[in-house]
Amino acid sequence: MLLKLTDVSKSYKSRYGRVIRDVLRGTDLAVEKGEKIAVAGPSGSGKTTLLNLAGALDFPDKGEVYFNGEPLSGMNASKLAAFRNRKIGFIFQFHHLLPQLTLWENILIPALPGNEADAEVHNRARELLTETGLWDIRHQKPGELSGGECQRTAVVRALINNPPLILADEPTGSLDSENASLLIDLLIRLNGKEESGMVVVTHSMEIASRMDKIYKIRNGKLEEG
Ligand SMILES: Nc1ncnc2c1ncn2[C@@H]1O[C@H](COP(=O)(O)OP(=O)(O)OP(=O)(O)O)[C@@H](O)[C@H]1O
Ligand SMILES: [Mg+2]
């Protein structure tokens, strides 16, 4: 099993330790290698919270998150940093590209620690940019790109290290339906090639229906279907 959450609970607390909101309440999730999963649910139901826990950007109050059978709670800080950087490809709702850097520099950020000059990384970057139609504009900055081009850049950035798990939080949220559909095509095509697992948060039933399984968050738990 690539990713497994068992009996995971998460609440947010005020500065004084008072619970503001029980978001996840003992939920389970399993994602196999190469499996694509959609997560839906109303605003505030805990979708981003779930992705944050799956990618070790935050930690559960109760329960455990396993990656390839290994509990995240057993990893020290440097192992967690390596896990986030090498094993997870994050795609955020808003692309979170750095405005001062060119597209080319942005996509190389996850590859930076250690091997920025690595010819293999550059080859992969070139291949992904060509495949996504971004090669010719690689020296432009995010402010000079369209919304769809920024989102495609964010997809390339998430894939640059060839991570076994992609976590995408409403990756098409800011796109019109035609561009949203193209972005998902791209993600599925590239993902199929790499056999990565994928968890996509989406409000679009059209996008959700292209995944292997659809889950909804209801009362703090994931329900299939
Ligand atoms: N850091 C935080 N501190 C306190 N409350 C938080 C924090 N992060 C999220 N929440 C609350 O937890 C609940 C779940 O938030 P979350 O971001 O996971 O929802 P979501 O399903 O992603 O919503 P949306 O569809 O609007 O993005 C919300 O009610 C939110 O206000
Ligand atoms: Mg969210």
Side-chain angles (χ1 to χ4, degrees), residues 4-8 27 60 62-66 70-74:
K4 198 168 166 203
L5 279 71
T6 52
D7 197 22
V8 162
T27 194
K62 194 173 131 268
E64 186 61 83
V65 180
Y66 299 87
E70 191 180 350
L72 297 189
S73 66

Side-chain angles (χ1 to χ4, degrees), residues 12 20-21 23 41-50 93 170 203:
Y12 292 106
I20 304 172
R21 184 89 215 273
V23 181
S43 180
S45 60
K47 304 181 297 298
T48 297
T49 301
L50 181 82
Q93 177 170 12
E170 297 185 42
H203 290 292

Side-chain angles (χ1 to χ4, degrees), residues 38-84:
V39 174
S43 180
S45 60
K47 304 181 297 298
T48 297
T49 301
L50 181 82
L51 289 193
N52 287 346
L53 298 180
L57 294 177
D58 201 354
F59 298 94
D61 303 325
K62 194 173 131 268
E64 186 61 83
V65 180
Y66 299 87
F67 186 80
N68 278 330
E70 191 180 350
L72 297 189
S73 66
M75 295 186 187
N76 63 22
S78 70
K79 204 156 177 214
L80 281 171
F83 164 76
R84 288 185 206 102

Side-chain angles (χ1 to χ4, degrees), residues 78-146:
S78 70
K79 204 156 177 214
L80 281 171
F83 164 76
R84 288 185 206 102
N85 192 45
R86 297 284 151 189
K87 305 294 184 191
I88 306 288
F90 284 104
I91 304 169
F92 301 95
Q93 177 170 12
F94 303 103
H95 52 73
H96 290 219
L97 299 175
L98 295 179
Q100 310 87 330
L101 302 185
T102 67
L103 184 163
W104 175 256
E105 290 162 339
N106 262 288
I107 65 161
L108 288 176
I109 290 173
L112 279 181
N115 58 355
E116 65 271 26
D118 195 321
E120 216 176 285
V121 172
H122 283 208
N123 283 339
R124 182 165 170 75
R126 190 185 324 122
E127 206 179 291
L128 285 168
L129 289 180
T130 306
E131 197 146 355
T132 50
L134 295 169
W135 177 251
D136 290 340
I137 55 169
R138 68 191 178 283
H139 297 306
Q140 290 174 218
K141 294 179 178 175
E144 303 155 353
L145 304 176
S146 74

